[in-house]
Amino acid sequence: ATSSPTAIQDTVAPTGAFTINNAAANTNSTGVTLNFSGVSSDVTQVQTANGDSVFGTNQTYSSSYSYTLPNTQGTRTVQVKLIDGAGNISGIISDAIILDSVNPVIETYTLDNIRISPEASVGIKDTASFDLAFSEAVTADFDILNSSGITVKDVYGPTSVTNPQTKTWDGKDNSGAYVSGGIYTIRIVITDPA
């Protein structure tokens, strides 16, 4: 008796998932990494699209895949189809990330007094008030430094703000003691989520 080979027909679509930059919420670069997980073992190729369901040519599958987002600020969606060795194609899987490659800026900065004399009553103001506004929600750190560059007063931060309330400096350091006379510098460091 002879036996003949039996053909096995594979009609099962592959499955899997991916995240952009290991599920980061934001990026400041168009170059990202698609990190795949739970992908069917017989997947050999992928197709990608920029959230518009217009898929490009087949690319060799890799569990970590470099991808370039369109250079448009805001939420960017990436769509993927997985393709197995038998040519079965998965449904569309997708993930999104916010592209923000524009640096935040200080839009408003107002200082009401550039010279204060909190301990002396010589007609000079006792406090200085600062009013700030930023171009977007940022983490801001606002300090007053002495002439040696050492922080004497943490005005606020780091904290998440867009338009913080006006802050006032009374000439005191972080311990509540008056600082000595001299020139003091305001340092404002802002960072956006990307």
Side-chain angles (χ1 to χ4, degrees), residues 80-186:
V80 172
K81 290 181 182 178
L82 304 170
I83 305 167
D84 67 19
N88 297 308
I89 301 174
S90 72
I92 297 172
I93 56 177
S94 64
D95 193 25
I97 194 166
I98 297 170
L99 174 61
D100 180 2
S101 58
V102 177
N103 291 329
V105 296
I106 300 172
E107 291 188 329
T108 303
Y109 173 79
T110 306
L111 172 62
D112 74 346
N113 294 309
I114 60 169
R115 186 174 177 211
I116 64 173
S117 181
E119 289 188 286
S121 182
V122 291
I124 300 173
K125 298 278 187 176
D126 290 342
T127 62
S129 296
F130 311 94
D131 191 16
L132 301 168
F134 307 112
S135 60
E136 60 183 285
V138 296
T139 298
D141 197 4
F142 183 1
D143 303 310
I144 297 174
L145 313 176
N146 64 17
S147 59
S148 298
I150 297 170
T151 299
V152 296
K153 181 68 175 179
D154 297 311
V155 179
Y156 63 80
T159 186
S160 183
V161 293
T162 301
N163 190 6
Q165 295 184 358
T166 300
K167 296 293 184 178
T168 301
W169 185 45
D170 57 5
K172 294 179 181 177
D173 63 18
N174 285 328
S175 71
Y178 285 106
V179 299
S180 57
I183 296 173
Y184 291 83
T185 303
I186 299 165

Side-chain angles (χ1 to χ4, degrees), residues 4 18 20 22 64 75 79 102 112-113 187:
S4 57
F18 76 97
I20 303 171
N22 289 316
S64 181
T75 301
Q79 297 171 304
V102 177
D112 74 346
N113 294 309
R187 177 180 62 194

